[in-house]
Amino acid sequence: ASFTISLRKVDNTTVMIKLRPGVSSSCHIRIKSVIRSELSVKPGENMTFAFTCSTPEKYFIMAIQKNIDCVSGPCPFGDVHLYPLQLPRLNRTYIWDVKASTKAGLELKFSAPWLRQIGPGETCPDFISYNINSCIDKATVNIGTFCRNGSVSRVKLLGGVVMSLHLPWNSPLTTSGFNIANRASIKRLCIIESTLKGESSITLMSPNYPLGFPEDELMTWQFVVPSSMRASVFFHNYSLSNCERKEERVEYYIPGSLSNPEVFKLSDSQPANIAGSFNMSLQGCDQDAQNPGILRLLFQVIVQHPQLDENVTHLVDLSKEQNMTVTIHFEGWPGYIPLMSQPICLICKDPRTCDRILTLVSGTVYKISFLCKDLSRLRITAEKGISCVDFWRCQRKIYSLSVPKAIMRLPIRLHKFIWKLLAPDLINIEITSPSLKLRQQVQEQRCNMSYSYSIVSATPETEMNVGVFCPGGSIEKIQMRNNITISLETFGKGLINESNPQDLEMSFVPHIKDECTFTVSPNPNAKVYLQTPNWPYGLPPSVSISWYVVVPSKQIARLGFSKDRMGIVCETGRAYVNVKEEILGAEETVRREDELLPDPRNMYHNFWVNVSNCRPVDRTQLTLQFWVTFADKQIDLGIILGMVAGAGVLVAIGLTVCCVKKKKKKTQNPMVGVYNANVNTQMPGKKGLFIKERQNNESHVYAVIDDAVVYGHLLKESNGSIAPEVDVYRPFDGPIGSLPPSPPPFSFRKDIKFSSNTKEEPPPLTDTDHDNYTFAHQKSGQLEGNGDANEKDKGDTSMPLLESKE
C-alpha cells in the first residue's frame, strides 16, 4: 500500500520517518523506484511512498513536529489538533514547540480524564504518554512525564514549552487532549494544578526528577480539593543541595490558616488533615558553585473523607515505661510497602501531624487519633529492653513480661511485642510462668492460642532458637545463660487485651551450668511433649540442655523417646543422654550417641533428663524429642491383703504384750535407768586420756533404781501403769539441699546402671565405737544408795540390760 503526506506551508509542520534504533534494515521506504531508509517531508511538500514490507511498524518510527512562534506573531490558542491525518500506522510522536516571551505565561489545559505523573523508567498502561519541557532562553527543564487518567488538569509555564505526545502504532486516538492558552507572567518556573474530587492518592515529582531542581527557582503545586474532604502530604524521597545563600524550603498556603504561608523544611513532617484546597511551593537556593548538590523531591498527596471518629483521641501513657518504643504501622511493614494509589490509614499525633507510620517512645504521654476507614489494616509493633549491670541491685527484682495496658487499650491489633533481655557474664536469665505455664510447640502439640512466645538465646558469635511456646502447658521455668530475645506474636484473629491473662515474668539469677534448663511441672494426667532447642536444625555443638520434671504426688510418670537413636556421628567428644530420678540411691541411665536410647520406663519420683551434644560431623544434627505421660499409682491387691494380715498380727502381738505387762505390773514396778554422777565420764578407748583400763573404770556402768521411787507421784495419776515412749532410728532419705540436683557432669557419666537396691556401706567405726556400753542390774536390797550399789556391782558388767530375763 502507498501513502501520501501533503503538508501546508502555513502549518509549519515537518514529518520524519526513520528506522527504529537497533533494528536491522530489512524493510525500506520506496519512493517511485528509489529505495530509502528514512523520509523527511517539510512544510509545503507532497510525498507519496510505500514500504517494502507488510509490517513497517516493526521497523520504523515517525515524528511530527509543529513549530509555533508566539514571540513575533499571534499564538494559535485553543484546541491542539493531530495533523496531518491518514498517516501510516507507525509508533509516532507529536511535538509542539512553542516559543514565547518570559514576560508572558503559557497554560496547557488538559481535558478529562486529565494526567497522572510517572517516574523515570515507568510506562503507561496504554503506552500513551505526554512529556512537558519548559524552555527559558536556551535552558530546558523537564517538567515531567504523564499518563492519561489522573488528576493533573493544568500546567502553567513561564516562557516557551515543548509538548510531546507519544502514541503507539495501533492507538485509535484522534485528538491531542489539551489546548494552549495565554496567561500573564506567573513569576516562577511552573504551576501544576491537580484536581482531586474524591478519595484519591497521587504522586508528584519536582522538575528534572531524579536530577536536580534548577538553582534558585520557585515552583508551585495547586491542589483543588472539595471543602468536605481532608488532604495530607507525605515526602517519600528528597535530597538537598549545598546552599551558599537562602535556604531550601517548602511553603504552604492554606485558606483559613492564621500563619500563611506556613514554612517547613523538607525534613519536617508535612501538614496533614487539611480541609479543602491548598497550595504548596518548592523554593531552591543559591548553590555552591564547586559542590552544588541536588535538590529533588518525590511526594504523595492523599485525600480522604473525614472520619467519623477523627475527633476521638486515644490516650497512650508511656510515662512510667523505660527503654520501650511502640510503632503503629500498616500491615506488612517494613517488608511490604503498599502502593501509593492504595487507600491508607493515617495515625495523627495532633490534628495536623499525621503519618502512615508513627513511633511512640517511653517516658511520654500521647494523644493520638486515626484517619482510617478500616483499622484492621493497622498493626502495633513494640520493643522493650531490660538489662542488669549490677547483680546485687537486680537479683531480687521480678520483671513483668506483659504487654502494657496502654497498648492493649488501643483499637489496633498487636502484631509483635519484643523483649530484649541483656545480662553480663556470670549472670543468667530465668523466665517463669507461675500460673499459666508454657507449652512448647511441637508437631504433636500445636499452639491454638491467640498468641505465642518465640524465645531466642544469643551471643555475639552464635544464636539458638529455644523454641515457640504458648500459655496453657507444663513448663513453669526456663533458665538460660545468654542474652535472650522474647517475641510475643499474635496470629489468626488474636487480640491482646485486658481479658487475656498474661503472667510471664523474668529475673536475673546466678550462673548455671547448662546452656538451658527447663522446669516442667505438669498437671495430673497430662501428656507433655518436649524437644531440644534449635529444632529442626539441631542442637549447637558442645551444648548441654536439661529438663527437670516434677512428678505429681500419688502418680507415676512414663518417659519415652520419639526415636531409637540420637542420629548423629561425633567428630570430637561424645554426646550423652542422662536420665535420673531425684532420690537417694536412684539408678542413672546413660546413653552415648552410638547406643540405643532408653526404652519407655516408669518414673516414680521427680527426675532429670539431660542432653549433651558433641561436635558432630557435617550433615548430622542432634534433634531429640521425648514425651512424658502421667497416671495414678495402682496398689496391688496382694499387697493390700498382706498389709491387712500384717496389721492383724501386729494387733495380736500388741494385745499379748499388753496382757503380760499388765500382769507383771501387779508384782513389780518397772525399772528405769538414771545417770550415775559418781562415775568417771572421760571418753573411753583412748589411751593416754584414761588412767584406768576398761575393766578398771566405771564410765560404762549405769545404776538402776526403781522408777516407783523417782516417779511415784506420776504413777498414782496413771493408775499405776507406765507405757514408756520408745522410737526407732530411721535413715534420712529426703532431699539434702534447697535446690534440685543437676545432672552429673561429663566426668561422672558411666555406661553402667547403678541398682536402686544397692545399699551404701556405713563408714568404718573408730576405735572408740567398739566399746559396748552395758547397764548394771538391780538386785534386792540395793535401793538404799547409789554409791553402795555401784561399789558392789562394778564388776558385774557381762549381761546387758536388754538381755535381762523377765
Side-chain angles (χ1 to χ4, degrees):
S2 61
F3 301 92
T4 300
I5 298 177
S6 180
L7 300 177
R8 296 177 299 178
K9 192 170 185 177
V10 68
D11 291 329
N12 202 14
T13 300
T14 301
V15 176
M16 288 283 300
I17 300 176
K18 57 184 179 180
L19 285 171
R20 296 175 61 178
V23 176
S24 60
S25 58
S26 56
C27 186
H28 301 85
I29 301 172
R30 180 186 294 115
I31 303 175
K32 296 182 180 180
S33 59
V34 179
I35 300 298
R36 297 183 180 180
S37 58
E38 61 180 34
L39 174 65
S40 175
V41 183
K42 297 180 181 179
E45 293 183 349
N46 190 353
M47 189 76 65
T48 299
F49 61 93
F51 296 100
T52 60
C53 61
S54 59
T55 56
E57 67 273 7
K58 295 181 180 180
Y59 304 96
F60 292 95
I61 57 174
M62 180 166 50
I64 305 98
Q65 179 172 335
K66 181 178 177 64
N67 297 320
I68 302 174
D69 186 1
C70 295
V71 176
S72 57
C75 280
F77 298 124
D79 292 338
V80 176
H81 302 285
L82 299 182
Y83 172 83
L85 301 176
Q86 297 180 349
L87 292 173
R89 290 169 61 87
L90 303 176
N91 292 344
R92 54 199 180 276
T93 300
Y94 290 92
I95 303 170
W96 295 271
D97 185 355
V98 182
K99 290 180 171 56
S101 170
T102 55
K103 297 180 181 180
L106 291 177
E107 178 184 279
L108 304 178
K109 185 176 182 180
F110 301 94
S111 57
W114 302 324
L115 303 182
R116 172 176 62 88
Q117 190 172 8
I118 61 174
E122 295 184 63
T123 57
C124 300
D126 57 2
F127 300 102
I128 298 175
S129 63
Y130 294 84
N131 185 263
I132 302 174
N133 287 273
S134 174
C135 299
I136 301 176
D137 297 329
K138 295 182 179 181
T140 300
V141 178
N142 180 19
I143 303 300
T145 301
F146 304 82
C147 301
R148 297 194 300 173
N149 298 319
S151 64
V152 177
S153 53
R154 288 190 295 180
V155 176
K156 301 175 184 178
L157 301 112
L158 182 66
V161 60
V162 177
M163 179 73 179
S164 302
L165 171 60
H166 304 276
L167 299 177
W169 66 272
N170 56 354
S171 172
L173 193 65
T174 57
T175 59
S176 66
F178 71 97
N179 62 47
I180 299 177
N182 187 18
R183 291 291 181 264
S185 175
I186 58 176
K187 298 181 181 180
R188 61 198 67 200
L189 177 64
C190 65
I191 299 174
I192 299 176
E193 181 185 88
S194 288
T195 303
L196 303 157
K197 291 185 176 181
E199 284 197 336
S200 56
S201 172
I202 63 171
T203 302
L204 295 167
M205 285 149 272
S206 58
N208 278 344
Y209 188 90
L211 302 178
F213 185 70
E215 181 179 6
D216 196 23
E217 276 289 358
L218 172 68
M219 71 158 294
T220 300
W221 289 272
Q222 292 181 337
F223 299 99
V224 181
V225 182
S227 59
S228 60
M229 305 294 288
R230 301 292 182 267
S232 302
V233 180
F234 303 98
F235 288 2
H236 292 294
N237 189 16
Y238 68 89
S239 64
L240 303 175
S241 56
N242 298 316
C243 297
E244 283 190 344
R245 292 185 303 165
K246 301 182 182 178
E247 186 179 9
E248 296 165 336
R249 63 190 183 274
V250 179
E251 298 179 356
Y252 291 88
Y253 180 84
I254 302 174
S257 175
L258 300 178
S259 56
N260 281 323
E262 297 185 17
V263 180
F264 291 80
K265 295 180 179 179
L266 276 74
S267 57
D268 294 337
S269 293
Q270 304 302 310
N273 203 25
I274 303 171
S277 302
F278 67 98
N279 294 350
M280 184 187 93
S281 298
L282 176 64
Q283 174 67 63
C285 67
D286 291 334
Q287 299 173 351
D288 185 346
Q290 296 181 350
N291 184 20
I294 292 177
L295 171 61
R296 59 185 173 193
L297 173 63
L298 182 148
F299 66 99
Q300 182 183 16
V301 178
I302 296 171
V303 176
Q304 296 173 296
H305 287 287
Q307 305 303 307
L308 296 177
D309 59 347
E310 66 174 333
N311 295 323
V312 176
T313 59
H314 301 271
L315 182 67
V316 184
D317 187 358
L318 304 180
S319 58
K320 297 181 180 179
E321 300 291 342
Q322 294 181 347
N323 300 326
M324 186 171 75
T325 59
V326 179
T327 302
I328 305 175
H329 55 87
F330 50 84
E331 186 178 7
W333 175 88
Y336 168 74
I337 303 297
L339 298 176
M340 294 182 184
S341 58
Q342 293 178 344
I344 67 167
C345 292
L346 300 179
I347 308 104
C348 303
K349 287 193 295 186
D350 56 64
R352 290 281 299 279
T353 305
C354 305
D355 208 337
R356 303 173 75 169
I357 301 171
L358 179 64
T359 298
L360 313 177
V361 298
S362 55
T364 311
V365 178
Y366 297 89
K367 291 183 179 180
I368 64 174
S369 60
F370 301 98
L371 294 177
C372 183
K373 280 188 174 181
D374 185 8
L375 291 178
S376 66
R377 297 190 311 219
L378 292 178
R379 296 289 184 272
I380 297 175
T381 297
E383 183 174 307
K384 182 178 178 67
I386 302 176
S387 61
C388 176
V389 178
D390 185 358
F391 178 67
W392 299 108
R393 291 186 178 181
C394 54
Q395 63 174 332
R396 296 183 179 179
K397 291 186 64 176
I398 297 177
Y399 302 84
S400 173
L401 300 184
S402 299
V403 179
K405 293 181 179 180
I407 297 177
M408 293 191 291
R409 291 171 180 169
L410 289 173
I412 307 299
R413 173 178 165 182
L414 176 66
H415 170 62
K416 183 182 293 185
F417 198 109
I418 302 171
W419 291 273
K420 291 190 173 182
L421 315 179
L422 306 178
D425 295 338
L426 303 180
I427 299 179
N428 299 143
I429 293 171
E430 179 178 280
I431 301 169
T432 59
S433 180
S435 58
L436 296 178
K437 301 181 185 178
L438 297 176
R439 181 171 75 238
Q440 187 174 15
Q441 178 170 277
V442 299
Q443 187 65 33
E444 296 80 4
Q445 185 176 263
R446 307 297 295 179
C447 285
N448 54 8
M449 301 288 290
S450 59
Y451 65 94
S452 65
Y453 298 100
S454 175
I455 302 178
V456 176
S457 171
T459 64
E461 297 81 18
T462 61
E463 183 176 285
M464 182 178 71
N465 183 11
V466 179
V468 176
F469 304 84
C470 52
S474 302
I475 300 175
E476 193 175 82
K477 180 168 59 178
I478 306 175
Q479 292 180 321
M480 288 164 282
R481 286 201 309 195
N482 302 319
N483 295 332
I484 306 299
T485 299
I486 302 177
S487 301
L488 183 152
E489 295 188 53
T490 61
F491 48 89
K493 296 182 179 180
L495 293 174
I496 298 295
N497 50 47
E498 295 181 72
S499 64
N500 297 113
Q502 301 176 68
D503 74 335
L504 202 65
E505 299 172 343
M506 68 81 58
S507 58
F508 295 97
V509 296
H511 185 71
I512 62 174
K513 183 183 70 173
D514 294 324
E515 194 79 17
C516 184
T517 300
F518 298 83
T519 299
V520 184
S521 180
N523 297 321
N525 302 320
K527 185 169 186 179
V528 182
Y529 290 92
L530 299 165
Q531 65 186 20
T532 51
N534 227 41
W535 190 279
Y537 305 107
L539 200 62
S542 306
V543 166
S544 179
I545 307 293
S546 291
W547 293 263
Y548 177 66
V549 182
V550 178
V551 179
S553 60
K554 300 181 182 180
Q555 287 205 313
I556 299 174
R558 188 161 181 83
L559 168 67
F561 292 87
S562 299
K563 58 183 181 180
D564 296 334
R565 294 180 179 272
M566 297 188 209
I568 63 169
V569 177
C570 290
E571 181 178 346
T572 58
R574 306 304 294 263
Y576 291 93
V577 171
N578 294 64
V579 179
K580 184 181 180 181
E581 286 187 292
E582 191 185 42
I583 185 173
L584 187 64
E587 71 174 23
E588 178 183 12
T589 302
V590 182
R591 294 290 188 271
R592 296 194 309 261
E593 80 282 353
D594 57 350
E595 296 176 322
L596 290 173
L597 291 173
D599 294 329
R601 59 186 56 204
N602 292 335
M603 311 297 285
Y604 297 89
H605 305 87
N606 301 346
F607 63 93
W608 287 88
V609 176
N610 174 264
V611 177
S612 301
N613 197 12
C614 60
R615 181 170 295 279
V617 299
D618 293 340
R619 298 183 180 180
T620 60
Q621 302 293 342
L622 176 54
T623 57
L624 202 60
Q625 184 184 100
F626 61 94
W627 49 263
V628 183
T629 59
F630 298 88
D632 294 333
K633 291 182 179 178
Q634 302 295 327
I635 302 178
D636 187 73
L637 182 60
I639 296 176
I640 297 176
L641 295 176
M643 292 174 63
V644 172
V649 172
L650 291 176
V651 171
I653 295 173
L655 291 175
T656 303
V657 172
C658 288
C659 293
V660 172
K661 286 192 174 184
K662 188 173 184 182
K663 183 178 180 181
K664 185 178 179 181
K665 292 296 181 179
K666 296 178 180 179
T667 60
Q668 68 175 21
N669 291 321
M671 297 179 293
V672 296
V674 296
Y675 176 72
N676 186 358
N678 296 323
V679 300
N680 187 1
T681 59
Q682 294 184 8
M683 182 184 295
K686 293 289 185 180
K687 294 183 179 181
L689 297 178
F690 286 84
I691 301 175
K692 297 181 180 181
E693 299 294 337
R694 174 74 175 179
Q695 63 271 17
N696 296 328
N697 75 73
E698 298 171 347
S699 61
H700 60 290
V701 179
Y702 287 77
V704 177
I705 63 174
D706 189 9
D707 60 350
V709 178
V710 181
Y711 303 104
H713 65 289
L714 298 177
L715 295 177
K716 293 178 182 180
E717 297 176 3
S718 59
N719 299 325
S721 63
I722 296 179
E725 293 182 359
V726 296
D727 202 352
V728 178
Y729 173 76
R730 295 178 177 86
F732 176 71
D733 58 358
I736 59 176
S738 59
L739 295 175
S742 61
F746 283 104
S747 59
F748 289 97
R749 292 171 183 157
K750 299 180 180 180
D751 302 333
I752 62 173
K753 295 184 178 179
F754 300 90
S755 173
S756 60
N757 297 325
T758 302
K759 297 183 178 179
E760 295 181 359
E761 293 184 1
L765 298 175
T766 62
D767 54 350
T768 59
D769 295 329
H770 292 287
D771 297 329
N772 294 325
Y773 289 82
T774 59
F775 292 84
H777 293 269
Q778 176 185 2
K779 295 181 181 180
S780 60
Q782 291 182 349
L783 297 175
E784 286 76 17
N786 290 338
D788 295 337
N790 291 333
E791 193 66 26
K792 293 178 183 179
D793 299 322
K794 63 183 179 181
D796 187 11
T797 60
S798 59
M799 183 180 294
L801 175 63
L802 297 179
E803 296 179 5
S804 61
K805 297 181 181 179
E806 293 286 322

